[in-house]
Amino acid sequence: MDWKNVGRSIPEITTRDLVVFRLPPEETEQLEHQYNRALFNMNNDGADVAIITLKKIITEHTTWGEASLLFGICLAQCGEFHRAQQSFEYALTCGLHSQALTELAQYCLAEATTAAEQARVEVEQSSEDSPLKALSTAITRQESPLVAESEHRERIHVQAPILIKAPKKPR
C-alpha cells in the first residue's frame, strides 16, 4: 500500500473543525497550525518530524480522532505497522468527523494489520533460517575442555582485596 497517497487524501483542518475543544482563539490557531504543519511534513517526506508534533497534539487532546489517524499514517510510512494499527484502532474509538475519514481509518487498519502480520512472519522466518543463530547456539552449547568444572561454579566465597591508601612518607 502506498501510505504517501493515503496521507495526501487527508484534508487540512480549519478553525471551525476545532470548535469541539472549546479553546481560546490563540490556542485554536496554534493547534490548527501544528496539525496542518504535521500534515505538510508527512506529505513531504518528513513523517518522523510529523510524528513528534502529533505526539504532543495527541497527548494534549486525547479524544481527537483525526490526529490519531494522521499519527497512524505517519507510523505506517515509517514501517511501524503494529503501532500504526493501534493508532487506527484508537482513532476509530475516538470517532472521526466525517464518514470518509472513518472509512479511510477502517481501510488503513485492515492494511496495517496485514502488513504487521507479514512483518512478524518475515522476522520469524529470517531468525529461524539465520546461519548466525545456528552458529551462536552451537558455540554457547559447546564447553571448552580446558576449563574445569569447578571454574564454572559461582564464586560467592571469594572477596575482593581491600585497597588501602599508602602513606605519602614511609615511616
mmCIF file with all atom_site columns, all heavy atoms in Angstrom, residues 18 20-23 27-28 30-32 34 54-68 90 94:
data_model
loop_
_atom_site.group_PDB
_atom_site.id
_atom_site.type_symbol
_atom_site.label_atom_id
_atom_site.label_alt_id
_atom_site.label_comp_id
_atom_site.label_asym_id
_atom_site.label_entity_id
_atom_site.label_seq_id
_atom_site.pdbx_PDB_ins_code
_atom_site.Cartn_x
_atom_site.Cartn_y
_atom_site.Cartn_z
_atom_site.occupancy
_atom_site.B_iso_or_equiv
_atom_site.pdbx_formal_charge
_atom_site.auth_seq_id
_atom_site.auth_comp_id
_atom_site.auth_asym_id
_atom_site.auth_atom_id
_atom_site.pdbx_PDB_model_num
ATOM 1   N N   . LEU A 1 18 ? -12.206 22.762 14.972 1.00 0.00 ? 18 LEU A N   1
ATOM 2   C CA  . LEU A 1 18 ? -11.662 22.669 16.330 1.00 0.00 ? 18 LEU A CA  1
ATOM 3   C C   . LEU A 1 18 ? -12.572 23.271 17.394 1.00 0.00 ? 18 LEU A C   1
ATOM 4   O O   . LEU A 1 18 ? -12.187 23.373 18.547 1.00 0.00 ? 18 LEU A O   1
ATOM 5   C CB  . LEU A 1 18 ? -10.287 23.348 16.373 1.00 0.00 ? 18 LEU A CB  1
ATOM 6   C CG  . LEU A 1 18 ? -9.239  22.765 15.426 1.00 0.00 ? 18 LEU A CG  1
ATOM 7   C CD1 . LEU A 1 18 ? -7.984  23.595 15.460 1.00 0.00 ? 18 LEU A CD1 1
ATOM 8   C CD2 . LEU A 1 18 ? -8.950  21.320 15.780 1.00 0.00 ? 18 LEU A CD2 1
ATOM 9   N N   . VAL A 1 20 ? -15.001 21.995 18.769 1.00 0.00 ? 20 VAL A N   1
ATOM 10  C CA  . VAL A 1 20 ? -15.347 20.940 19.730 1.00 0.00 ? 20 VAL A CA  1
ATOM 11  C C   . VAL A 1 20 ? -14.498 21.040 21.007 1.00 0.00 ? 20 VAL A C   1
ATOM 12  O O   . VAL A 1 20 ? -14.985 20.746 22.102 1.00 0.00 ? 20 VAL A O   1
ATOM 13  C CB  . VAL A 1 20 ? -15.136 19.553 19.077 1.00 0.00 ? 20 VAL A CB  1
ATOM 14  C CG1 . VAL A 1 20 ? -15.419 18.435 20.041 1.00 0.00 ? 20 VAL A CG1 1
ATOM 15  C CG2 . VAL A 1 20 ? -15.962 19.437 17.819 1.00 0.00 ? 20 VAL A CG2 1
ATOM 16  N N   . PHE A 1 21 ? -13.257 21.494 20.880 1.00 0.00 ? 21 PHE A N   1
ATOM 17  C CA  . PHE A 1 21 ? -12.358 21.538 22.030 1.00 0.00 ? 21 PHE A CA  1
ATOM 18  C C   . PHE A 1 21 ? -12.571 22.749 22.923 1.00 0.00 ? 21 PHE A C   1
ATOM 19  O O   . PHE A 1 21 ? -12.037 22.799 24.025 1.00 0.00 ? 21 PHE A O   1
ATOM 20  C CB  . PHE A 1 21 ? -10.900 21.487 21.557 1.00 0.00 ? 21 PHE A CB  1
ATOM 21  C CG  . PHE A 1 21 ? -10.566 20.216 20.831 1.00 0.00 ? 21 PHE A CG  1
ATOM 22  C CD1 . PHE A 1 21 ? -10.190 20.252 19.498 1.00 0.00 ? 21 PHE A CD1 1
ATOM 23  C CD2 . PHE A 1 21 ? -10.645 18.990 21.469 1.00 0.00 ? 21 PHE A CD2 1
ATOM 24  C CE1 . PHE A 1 21 ? -9.887  19.089 18.822 1.00 0.00 ? 21 PHE A CE1 1
ATOM 25  C CE2 . PHE A 1 21 ? -10.340 17.821 20.798 1.00 0.00 ? 21 PHE A CE2 1
ATOM 26  C CZ  . PHE A 1 21 ? -9.966  17.873 19.470 1.00 0.00 ? 21 PHE A CZ  1
ATOM 27  N N   . ARG A 1 22 ? -13.326 23.734 22.456 1.00 0.00 ? 22 ARG A N   1
ATOM 28  C CA  . ARG A 1 22 ? -13.646 24.939 23.237 1.00 0.00 ? 22 ARG A CA  1
ATOM 29  C C   . ARG A 1 22 ? -12.382 25.606 23.785 1.00 0.00 ? 22 ARG A C   1
ATOM 30  O O   . ARG A 1 22 ? -12.264 25.877 24.985 1.00 0.00 ? 22 ARG A O   1
ATOM 31  C CB  . ARG A 1 22 ? -14.612 24.619 24.359 1.00 0.00 ? 22 ARG A CB  1
ATOM 32  C CG  . ARG A 1 22 ? -15.923 24.114 23.855 1.00 0.00 ? 22 ARG A CG  1
ATOM 33  C CD  . ARG A 1 22 ? -16.883 23.841 24.972 1.00 0.00 ? 22 ARG A CD  1
ATOM 34  N NE  . ARG A 1 22 ? -18.120 23.323 24.401 1.00 0.00 ? 22 ARG A NE  1
ATOM 35  C CZ  . ARG A 1 22 ? -18.933 22.534 25.027 1.00 0.00 ? 22 ARG A CZ  1
ATOM 36  N NH1 . ARG A 1 22 ? -18.686 22.176 26.258 1.00 0.00 ? 22 ARG A NH1 1
ATOM 37  N NH2 . ARG A 1 22 ? -20.017 22.105 24.435 1.00 0.00 ? 22 ARG A NH2 1
ATOM 38  N N   . LEU A 1 23 ? -11.468 25.868 22.896 1.00 0.00 ? 23 LEU A N   1
ATOM 39  C CA  . LEU A 1 23 ? -10.207 26.505 23.266 1.00 0.00 ? 23 LEU A CA  1
ATOM 40  C C   . LEU A 1 23 ? -10.287 28.000 22.994 1.00 0.00 ? 23 LEU A C   1
ATOM 41  O O   . LEU A 1 23 ? -11.083 28.452 22.169 1.00 0.00 ? 23 LEU A O   1
ATOM 42  C CB  . LEU A 1 23 ? -9.064  25.911 22.439 1.00 0.00 ? 23 LEU A CB  1
ATOM 43  C CG  . LEU A 1 23 ? -8.792  24.422 22.613 1.00 0.00 ? 23 LEU A CG  1
ATOM 44  C CD1 . LEU A 1 23 ? -7.775  23.959 21.588 1.00 0.00 ? 23 LEU A CD1 1
ATOM 45  C CD2 . LEU A 1 23 ? -8.277  24.138 24.006 1.00 0.00 ? 23 LEU A CD2 1
ATOM 46  N N   . GLU A 1 27 ? -5.079  29.561 21.102 1.00 0.00 ? 27 GLU A N   1
ATOM 47  C CA  . GLU A 1 27 ? -4.743  28.137 21.164 1.00 0.00 ? 27 GLU A CA  1
ATOM 48  C C   . GLU A 1 27 ? -5.336  27.379 19.983 1.00 0.00 ? 27 GLU A C   1
ATOM 49  O O   . GLU A 1 27 ? -4.727  26.437 19.477 1.00 0.00 ? 27 GLU A O   1
ATOM 50  C CB  . GLU A 1 27 ? -5.227  27.530 22.479 1.00 0.00 ? 27 GLU A CB  1
ATOM 51  C CG  . GLU A 1 27 ? -4.441  27.996 23.691 1.00 0.00 ? 27 GLU A CG  1
ATOM 52  C CD  . GLU A 1 27 ? -4.922  27.335 24.971 1.00 0.00 ? 27 GLU A CD  1
ATOM 53  O OE1 . GLU A 1 27 ? -5.405  26.181 24.931 1.00 0.00 ? 27 GLU A OE1 1
ATOM 54  O OE2 . GLU A 1 27 ? -4.821  27.979 26.025 1.00 0.00 ? 27 GLU A OE2 1
ATOM 55  N N   . THR A 1 28 ? -6.519  27.788 19.549 1.00 0.00 ? 28 THR A N   1
ATOM 56  C CA  . THR A 1 28 ? -7.143  27.145 18.394 1.00 0.00 ? 28 THR A CA  1
ATOM 57  C C   . THR A 1 28 ? -6.305  27.360 17.146 1.00 0.00 ? 28 THR A C   1
ATOM 58  O O   . THR A 1 28 ? -6.063  26.422 16.381 1.00 0.00 ? 28 THR A O   1
ATOM 59  C CB  . THR A 1 28 ? -8.568  27.691 18.176 1.00 0.00 ? 28 THR A CB  1
ATOM 60  O OG1 . THR A 1 28 ? -9.317  27.490 19.367 1.00 0.00 ? 28 THR A OG1 1
ATOM 61  C CG2 . THR A 1 28 ? -9.256  26.992 17.027 1.00 0.00 ? 28 THR A CG2 1
ATOM 62  N N   . GLN A 1 30 ? -3.107  28.035 17.051 1.00 0.00 ? 30 GLN A N   1
ATOM 63  C CA  . GLN A 1 30 ? -1.849  27.304 17.218 1.00 0.00 ? 30 GLN A CA  1
ATOM 64  C C   . GLN A 1 30 ? -2.045  25.813 16.936 1.00 0.00 ? 30 GLN A C   1
ATOM 65  O O   . GLN A 1 30 ? -1.227  25.194 16.260 1.00 0.00 ? 30 GLN A O   1
ATOM 66  C CB  . GLN A 1 30 ? -1.304  27.508 18.635 1.00 0.00 ? 30 GLN A CB  1
ATOM 67  C CG  . GLN A 1 30 ? 0.030   26.831 18.864 1.00 0.00 ? 30 GLN A CG  1
ATOM 68  C CD  . GLN A 1 30 ? 0.532   27.031 20.277 1.00 0.00 ? 30 GLN A CD  1
ATOM 69  O OE1 . GLN A 1 30 ? -0.167  27.540 21.143 1.00 0.00 ? 30 GLN A OE1 1
ATOM 70  N NE2 . GLN A 1 30 ? 1.761   26.615 20.518 1.00 0.00 ? 30 GLN A NE2 1
ATOM 71  N N   . LEU A 1 31 ? -3.132  25.243 17.432 1.00 0.00 ? 31 LEU A N   1
ATOM 72  C CA  . LEU A 1 31 ? -3.422  23.831 17.204 1.00 0.00 ? 31 LEU A CA  1
ATOM 73  C C   . LEU A 1 31 ? -3.658  23.566 15.723 1.00 0.00 ? 31 LEU A C   1
ATOM 74  O O   . LEU A 1 31 ? -3.166  22.572 15.174 1.00 0.00 ? 31 LEU A O   1
ATOM 75  C CB  . LEU A 1 31 ? -4.631  23.403 18.031 1.00 0.00 ? 31 LEU A CB  1
ATOM 76  C CG  . LEU A 1 31 ? -5.027  21.931 17.978 1.00 0.00 ? 31 LEU A CG  1
ATOM 77  C CD1 . LEU A 1 31 ? -3.885  21.048 18.467 1.00 0.00 ? 31 LEU A CD1 1
ATOM 78  C CD2 . LEU A 1 31 ? -6.273  21.702 18.817 1.00 0.00 ? 31 LEU A CD2 1
ATOM 79  N N   . GLU A 1 32 ? -4.381  24.453 15.065 1.00 0.00 ? 32 GLU A N   1
ATOM 80  C CA  . GLU A 1 32 ? -4.615  24.325 13.627 1.00 0.00 ? 32 GLU A CA  1
ATOM 81  C C   . GLU A 1 32 ? -3.295  24.359 12.864 1.00 0.00 ? 32 GLU A C   1
ATOM 82  O O   . GLU A 1 32 ? -3.046  23.543 11.967 1.00 0.00 ? 32 GLU A O   1
ATOM 83  C CB  . GLU A 1 32 ? -5.526  25.460 13.153 1.00 0.00 ? 32 GLU A CB  1
ATOM 84  C CG  . GLU A 1 32 ? -5.732  25.499 11.656 1.00 0.00 ? 32 GLU A CG  1
ATOM 85  C CD  . GLU A 1 32 ? -6.459  26.752 11.207 1.00 0.00 ? 32 GLU A CD  1
ATOM 86  O OE1 . GLU A 1 32 ? -6.770  27.627 12.029 1.00 0.00 ? 32 GLU A OE1 1
ATOM 87  O OE2 . GLU A 1 32 ? -6.708  26.843 9.988  1.00 0.00 ? 32 GLU A OE2 1
ATOM 88  N N   . GLN A 1 34 ? -0.243  23.636 14.031 1.00 0.00 ? 34 GLN A N   1
ATOM 89  C CA  . GLN A 1 34 ? 0.553   22.434 14.323 1.00 0.00 ? 34 GLN A CA  1
ATOM 90  C C   . GLN A 1 34 ? 0.061   21.226 13.529 1.00 0.00 ? 34 GLN A C   1
ATOM 91  O O   . GLN A 1 34 ? 0.862   20.485 12.955 1.00 0.00 ? 34 GLN A O   1
ATOM 92  C CB  . GLN A 1 34 ? 0.506   22.113 15.819 1.00 0.00 ? 34 GLN A CB  1
ATOM 93  C CG  . GLN A 1 34 ? 1.287   23.059 16.677 1.00 0.00 ? 34 GLN A CG  1
ATOM 94  C CD  . GLN A 1 34 ? 1.121   22.747 18.151 1.00 0.00 ? 34 GLN A CD  1
ATOM 95  O OE1 . GLN A 1 34 ? 0.166   22.092 18.573 1.00 0.00 ? 34 GLN A OE1 1
ATOM 96  N NE2 . GLN A 1 34 ? 2.057   23.225 18.961 1.00 0.00 ? 34 GLN A NE2 1
ATOM 97  N N   . LEU A 1 54 ? 2.760   15.321 16.275 1.00 0.00 ? 54 LEU A N   1
ATOM 98  C CA  . LEU A 1 54 ? 1.476   14.665 16.552 1.00 0.00 ? 54 LEU A CA  1
ATOM 99  C C   . LEU A 1 54 ? 1.437   14.018 17.935 1.00 0.00 ? 54 LEU A C   1
ATOM 100 O O   . LEU A 1 54 ? 0.372   13.935 18.544 1.00 0.00 ? 54 LEU A O   1
ATOM 101 C CB  . LEU A 1 54 ? 1.163   13.648 15.463 1.00 0.00 ? 54 LEU A CB  1
ATOM 102 C CG  . LEU A 1 54 ? 0.808   14.275 14.116 1.00 0.00 ? 54 LEU A CG  1
ATOM 103 C CD1 . LEU A 1 54 ? 0.805   13.220 13.021 1.00 0.00 ? 54 LEU A CD1 1
ATOM 104 C CD2 . LEU A 1 54 ? -0.528  14.981 14.189 1.00 0.00 ? 54 LEU A CD2 1
ATOM 105 N N   . LYS A 1 55 ? 2.582   13.569 18.434 1.00 0.00 ? 55 LYS A N   1
ATOM 106 C CA  . LYS A 1 55 ? 2.611   13.026 19.803 1.00 0.00 ? 55 LYS A CA  1
ATOM 107 C C   . LYS A 1 55 ? 2.182   14.089 20.806 1.00 0.00 ? 55 LYS A C   1
ATOM 108 O O   . LYS A 1 55 ? 1.420   13.818 21.737 1.00 0.00 ? 55 LYS A O   1
ATOM 109 C CB  . LYS A 1 55 ? 4.026   12.542 20.155 1.00 0.00 ? 55 LYS A CB  1
ATOM 110 C CG  . LYS A 1 55 ? 4.352   11.170 19.680 1.00 0.00 ? 55 LYS A CG  1
ATOM 111 C CD  . LYS A 1 55 ? 5.737   10.788 20.167 1.00 0.00 ? 55 LYS A CD  1
ATOM 112 C CE  . LYS A 1 55 ? 6.169   9.465  19.614 1.00 0.00 ? 55 LYS A CE  1
ATOM 113 N NZ  . LYS A 1 55 ? 7.524   9.093  20.060 1.00 0.00 ? 55 LYS A NZ  1
ATOM 114 N N   . LYS A 1 56 ? 2.686   15.312 20.607 1.00 0.00 ? 56 LYS A N   1
ATOM 115 C CA  . LYS A 1 56 ? 2.321   16.402 21.504 1.00 0.00 ? 56 LYS A CA  1
ATOM 116 C C   . LYS A 1 56 ? 0.825   16.710 21.398 1.00 0.00 ? 56 LYS A C   1
ATOM 117 O O   . LYS A 1 56 ? 0.150   16.921 22.403 1.00 0.00 ? 56 LYS A O   1
ATOM 118 C CB  . LYS A 1 56 ? 3.132   17.646 21.176 1.00 0.00 ? 56 LYS A CB  1
ATOM 119 C CG  . LYS A 1 56 ? 4.603   17.514 21.455 1.00 0.00 ? 56 LYS A CG  1
ATOM 120 C CD  . LYS A 1 56 ? 5.361   18.746 21.005 1.00 0.00 ? 56 LYS A CD  1
ATOM 121 C CE  . LYS A 1 56 ? 6.854   18.546 21.150 1.00 0.00 ? 56 LYS A CE  1
ATOM 122 N NZ  . LYS A 1 56 ? 7.605   19.702 20.625 1.00 0.00 ? 56 LYS A NZ  1
ATOM 123 N N   . ILE A 1 57 ? 0.314   16.738 20.180 1.00 0.00 ? 57 ILE A N   1
ATOM 124 C CA  . ILE A 1 57 ? -1.105  17.046 19.973 1.00 0.00 ? 57 ILE A CA  1
ATOM 125 C C   . ILE A 1 57 ? -1.985  15.974 20.605 1.00 0.00 ? 57 ILE A C   1
ATOM 126 O O   . ILE A 1 57 ? -2.957  16.277 21.293 1.00 0.00 ? 57 ILE A O   1
ATOM 127 C CB  . ILE A 1 57 ? -1.406  17.189 18.464 1.00 0.00 ? 57 ILE A CB  1
ATOM 128 C CG1 . ILE A 1 57 ? -0.729  18.442 17.899 1.00 0.00 ? 57 ILE A CG1 1
ATOM 129 C CG2 . ILE A 1 57 ? -2.908  17.252 18.221 1.00 0.00 ? 57 ILE A CG2 1
ATOM 130 C CD1 . ILE A 1 57 ? -0.832  18.568 16.396 1.00 0.00 ? 57 ILE A CD1 1
ATOM 131 N N   . ILE A 1 58 ? -1.639  14.712 20.383 1.00 0.00 ? 58 ILE A N   1
ATOM 132 C CA  . ILE A 1 58 ? -2.451  13.608 20.919 1.00 0.00 ? 58 ILE A CA  1
ATOM 133 C C   . ILE A 1 58 ? -2.395  13.579 22.441 1.00 0.00 ? 58 ILE A C   1
ATOM 134 O O   . ILE A 1 58 ? -3.387  13.257 23.099 1.00 0.00 ? 58 ILE A O   1
ATOM 135 C CB  . ILE A 1 58 ? -1.999  12.268 20.300 1.00 0.00 ? 58 ILE A CB  1
ATOM 136 C CG1 . ILE A 1 58 ? -2.344  12.245 18.817 1.00 0.00 ? 58 ILE A CG1 1
ATOM 137 C CG2 . ILE A 1 58 ? -2.621  11.093 21.010 1.00 0.00 ? 58 ILE A CG2 1
ATOM 138 C CD1 . ILE A 1 58 ? -1.743  11.082 18.059 1.00 0.00 ? 58 ILE A CD1 1
ATOM 139 N N   . THR A 1 59 ? -1.253  13.938 23.004 1.00 0.00 ? 59 THR A N   1
ATOM 140 C CA  . THR A 1 59 ? -1.136  13.966 24.455 1.00 0.00 ? 59 THR A CA  1
ATOM 141 C C   . THR A 1 59 ? -2.054  15.024 25.062 1.00 0.00 ? 59 THR A C   1
ATOM 142 O O   . THR A 1 59 ? -2.689  14.794 26.101 1.00 0.00 ? 59 THR A O   1
ATOM 143 C CB  . THR A 1 59 ? 0.324   14.250 24.863 1.00 0.00 ? 59 THR A CB  1
ATOM 144 O OG1 . THR A 1 59 ? 1.160   13.256 24.280 1.00 0.00 ? 59 THR A OG1 1
ATOM 145 C CG2 . THR A 1 59 ? 0.500   14.232 26.363 1.00 0.00 ? 59 THR A CG2 1
ATOM 146 N N   . GLU A 1 60 ? -2.152  16.177 24.415 1.00 0.00 ? 60 GLU A N   1
ATOM 147 C CA  . GLU A 1 60 ? -2.987  17.255 24.933 1.00 0.00 ? 60 GLU A CA  1
ATOM 148 C C   . GLU A 1 60 ? -4.473  17.041 24.630 1.00 0.00 ? 60 GLU A C   1
ATOM 149 O O   . GLU A 1 60 ? -5.326  17.415 25.423 1.00 0.00 ? 60 GLU A O   1
ATOM 150 C CB  . GLU A 1 60 ? -2.536  18.589 24.352 1.00 0.00 ? 60 GLU A CB  1
ATOM 151 C CG  . GLU A 1 60 ? -1.176  19.029 24.840 1.00 0.00 ? 60 GLU A CG  1
ATOM 152 C CD  . GLU A 1 60 ? -0.707  20.309 24.171 1.00 0.00 ? 60 GLU A CD  1
ATOM 153 O OE1 . GLU A 1 60 ? -1.524  20.989 23.512 1.00 0.00 ? 60 GLU A OE1 1
ATOM 154 O OE2 . GLU A 1 60 ? 0.487   20.620 24.303 1.00 0.00 ? 60 GLU A OE2 1
ATOM 155 N N   . HIS A 1 61 ? -4.771  16.472 23.456 1.00 0.00 ? 61 HIS A N   1
ATOM 156 C CA  . HIS A 1 61 ? -6.161  16.297 23.021 1.00 0.00 ? 61 HIS A CA  1
ATOM 157 C C   . HIS A 1 61 ? -6.400  14.809 22.734 1.00 0.00 ? 61 HIS A C   1
ATOM 158 O O   . HIS A 1 61 ? -6.366  14.368 21.597 1.00 0.00 ? 61 HIS A O   1
ATOM 159 C CB  . HIS A 1 61 ? -6.440  17.152 21.775 1.00 0.00 ? 61 HIS A CB  1
ATOM 160 C CG  . HIS A 1 61 ? -6.093  18.590 21.979 1.00 0.00 ? 61 HIS A CG  1
ATOM 161 N ND1 . HIS A 1 61 ? -6.899  19.442 22.692 1.00 0.00 ? 61 HIS A ND1 1
ATOM 162 C CD2 . HIS A 1 61 ? -5.023  19.315 21.593 1.00 0.00 ? 61 HIS A CD2 1
ATOM 163 C CE1 . HIS A 1 61 ? -6.341  20.641 22.725 1.00 0.00 ? 61 HIS A CE1 1
ATOM 164 N NE2 . HIS A 1 61 ? -5.199  20.588 22.068 1.00 0.00 ? 61 HIS A NE2 1
ATOM 165 N N   . THR A 1 62 ? -6.637  14.085 23.795 1.00 0.00 ? 62 THR A N   1
ATOM 166 C CA  . THR A 1 62 ? -6.701  12.626 23.706 1.00 0.00 ? 62 THR A CA  1
ATOM 167 C C   . THR A 1 62 ? -7.908  12.104 22.951 1.00 0.00 ? 62 THR A C   1
ATOM 168 O O   . THR A 1 62 ? -7.906  10.962 22.509 1.00 0.00 ? 62 THR A O   1
ATOM 169 C CB  . THR A 1 62 ? -6.694  12.013 25.114 1.00 0.00 ? 62 THR A CB  1
ATOM 170 O OG1 . THR A 1 62 ? -7.774  12.566 25.863 1.00 0.00 ? 62 THR A OG1 1
ATOM 171 C CG2 . THR A 1 62 ? -5.384  12.281 25.821 1.00 0.00 ? 62 THR A CG2 1
ATOM 172 N N   . THR A 1 63 ? -8.924  12.908 22.770 1.00 0.00 ? 63 THR A N   1
ATOM 173 C CA  . THR A 1 63 ? -10.137 12.425 22.104 1.00 0.00 ? 63 THR A CA  1
ATOM 174 C C   . THR A 1 63 ? -10.227 12.864 20.645 1.00 0.00 ? 63 THR A C   1
ATOM 175 O O   . THR A 1 63 ? -11.286 12.751 20.034 1.00 0.00 ? 63 THR A O   1
ATOM 176 C CB  . THR A 1 63 ? -11.389 12.929 22.839 1.00 0.00 ? 63 THR A CB  1
ATOM 177 O OG1 . THR A 1 63 ? -11.377 14.359 22.850 1.00 0.00 ? 63 THR A OG1 1
ATOM 178 C CG2 . THR A 1 63 ? -11.446 12.382 24.250 1.00 0.00 ? 63 THR A CG2 1
ATOM 179 N N   . TRP A 1 64 ? -9.149  13.340 20.078 1.00 0.00 ? 64 TRP A N   1
ATOM 180 C CA  . TRP A 1 64 ? -9.155  13.832 18.709 1.00 0.00 ? 64 TRP A CA  1
ATOM 181 C C   . TRP A 1 64 ? -8.771  12.705 17.760 1.00 0.00 ? 64 TRP A C   1
ATOM 182 O O   . TRP A 1 64 ? -7.610  12.335 17.627 1.00 0.00 ? 64 TRP A O   1
ATOM 183 C CB  . TRP A 1 64 ? -8.213  15.012 18.571 1.00 0.00 ? 64 TRP A CB  1
ATOM 184 C CG  . TRP A 1 64 ? -8.377  15.786 17.307 1.00 0.00 ? 64 TRP A CG  1
ATOM 185 C CD1 . TRP A 1 64 ? -9.377  15.681 16.402 1.00 0.00 ? 64 TRP A CD1 1
ATOM 186 C CD2 . TRP A 1 64 ? -7.503  16.794 16.819 1.00 0.00 ? 64 TRP A CD2 1
ATOM 187 N NE1 . TRP A 1 64 ? -9.188  16.565 15.375 1.00 0.00 ? 64 TRP A NE1 1
ATOM 188 C CE2 . TRP A 1 64 ? -8.042  17.269 15.610 1.00 0.00 ? 64 TRP A CE2 1
ATOM 189 C CE3 . TRP A 1 64 ? -6.319  17.345 17.277 1.00 0.00 ? 64 TRP A CE3 1
ATOM 190 C CZ2 . TRP A 1 64 ? -7.437  18.253 14.852 1.00 0.00 ? 64 TRP A CZ2 1
ATOM 191 C CZ3 . TRP A 1 64 ? -5.723  18.340 16.534 1.00 0.00 ? 64 TRP A CZ3 1
ATOM 192 C CH2 . TRP A 1 64 ? -6.280  18.785 15.336 1.00 0.00 ? 64 TRP A CH2 1
ATOM 193 N N   . GLY A 1 65 ? -9.745  12.150 17.087 1.00 0.00 ? 65 GLY A N   1
ATOM 194 C CA  . GLY A 1 65 ? -9.539  11.014 16.206 1.00 0.00 ? 65 GLY A CA  1
ATOM 195 C C   . GLY A 1 65 ? -8.722  11.335 14.965 1.00 0.00 ? 65 GLY A C   1
ATOM 196 O O   . GLY A 1 65 ? -7.940  10.503 14.494 1.00 0.00 ? 65 GLY A O   1
ATOM 197 N N   . GLU A 1 66 ? -8.879  12.542 14.402 1.00 0.00 ? 66 GLU A N   1
ATOM 198 C CA  . GLU A 1 66 ? -8.147  12.910 13.186 1.00 0.00 ? 66 GLU A CA  1
ATOM 199 C C   . GLU A 1 66 ? -6.645  12.930 13.435 1.00 0.00 ? 66 GLU A C   1
ATOM 200 O O   . GLU A 1 66 ? -5.860  12.500 12.591 1.00 0.00 ? 66 GLU A O   1
ATOM 201 C CB  . GLU A 1 66 ? -8.613  14.267 12.656 1.00 0.00 ? 66 GLU A CB  1
ATOM 202 C CG  . GLU A 1 66 ? -9.927  14.239 11.927 1.00 0.00 ? 66 GLU A CG  1
ATOM 203 C CD  . GLU A 1 66 ? -11.139 14.213 12.848 1.00 0.00 ? 66 GLU A CD  1
ATOM 204 O OE1 . GLU A 1 66 ? -10.969 14.313 14.079 1.00 0.00 ? 66 GLU A OE1 1
ATOM 205 O OE2 . GLU A 1 66 ? -12.249 14.076 12.323 1.00 0.00 ? 66 GLU A OE2 1
ATOM 206 N N   . ALA A 1 67 ? -6.232  13.428 14.595 1.00 0.00 ? 67 ALA A N   1
ATOM 207 C CA  . ALA A 1 67 ? -4.809  13.447 14.922 1.00 0.00 ? 67 ALA A CA  1
ATOM 208 C C   . ALA A 1 67 ? -4.276  12.020 15.072 1.00 0.00 ? 67 ALA A C   1
ATOM 209 O O   . ALA A 1 67 ? -3.159  11.718 14.631 1.00 0.00 ? 67 ALA A O   1
ATOM 210 C CB  . ALA A 1 67 ? -4.570  14.250 16.200 1.00 0.00 ? 67 ALA A CB  1
ATOM 211 N N   . SER A 1 68 ? -5.059  11.138 15.665 1.00 0.00 ? 68 SER A N   1
ATOM 212 C CA  . SER A 1 68 ? -4.639  9.740  15.806 1.00 0.00 ? 68 SER A CA  1
ATOM 213 C C   . SER A 1 68 ? -4.558  9.043  14.451 1.00 0.00 ? 68 SER A C   1
ATOM 214 O O   . SER A 1 68 ? -3.667  8.233  14.213 1.00 0.00 ? 68 SER A O   1
ATOM 215 C CB  . SER A 1 68 ? -5.606  8.984  16.715 1.00 0.00 ? 68 SER A CB  1
ATOM 216 O OG  . SER A 1 68 ? -5.593  9.525  18.003 1.00 0.00 ? 68 SER A OG  1
ATOM 217 N N   . TYR A 1 90 ? -7.455  3.320  17.812 1.00 0.00 ? 90 TYR A N   1
ATOM 218 C CA  . TYR A 1 90 ? -7.758  4.412  18.741 1.00 0.00 ? 90 TYR A CA  1
ATOM 219 C C   . TYR A 1 90 ? -8.532  5.529  18.038 1.00 0.00 ? 90 TYR A C   1
ATOM 220 O O   . TYR A 1 90 ? -9.467  6.092  18.609 1.00 0.00 ? 90 TYR A O   1
ATOM 221 C CB  . TYR A 1 90 ? -6.460  4.951  19.346 1.00 0.00 ? 90 TYR A CB  1
ATOM 222 C CG  . TYR A 1 90 ? -6.696  5.951  20.445 1.00 0.00 ? 90 TYR A CG  1
ATOM 223 C CD1 . TYR A 1 90 ? -7.132  5.537  21.694 1.00 0.00 ? 90 TYR A CD1 1
ATOM 224 C CD2 . TYR A 1 90 ? -6.491  7.306  20.231 1.00 0.00 ? 90 TYR A CD2 1
ATOM 225 C CE1 . TYR A 1 90 ? -7.359  6.442  22.710 1.00 0.00 ? 90 TYR A CE1 1
ATOM 226 C CE2 . TYR A 1 90 ? -6.717  8.228  21.240 1.00 0.00 ? 90 TYR A CE2 1
ATOM 227 C CZ  . TYR A 1 90 ? -7.149  7.790  22.470 1.00 0.00 ? 90 TYR A CZ  1
ATOM 228 O OH  . TYR A 1 90 ? -7.383  8.687  23.478 1.00 0.00 ? 90 TYR A OH  1
ATOM 229 N N   . CYS A 1 94 ? -12.164 6.890  19.143 1.00 0.00 ? 94 CYS A N   1
ATOM 230 C CA  . CYS A 1 94 ? -12.451 8.303  19.456 1.00 0.00 ? 94 CYS A CA  1
ATOM 231 C C   . CYS A 1 94 ? -13.537 8.871  18.566 1.00 0.00 ? 94 CYS A C   1
ATOM 232 O O   . CYS A 1 94 ? -14.301 9.726  18.994 1.00 0.00 ? 94 CYS A O   1
ATOM 233 C CB  . CYS A 1 94 ? -11.186 9.145  19.296 1.00 0.00 ? 94 CYS A CB  1
ATOM 234 S SG  . CYS A 1 94 ? -9.933  8.798  20.514 1.00 0.00 ? 94 CYS A SG  1
#
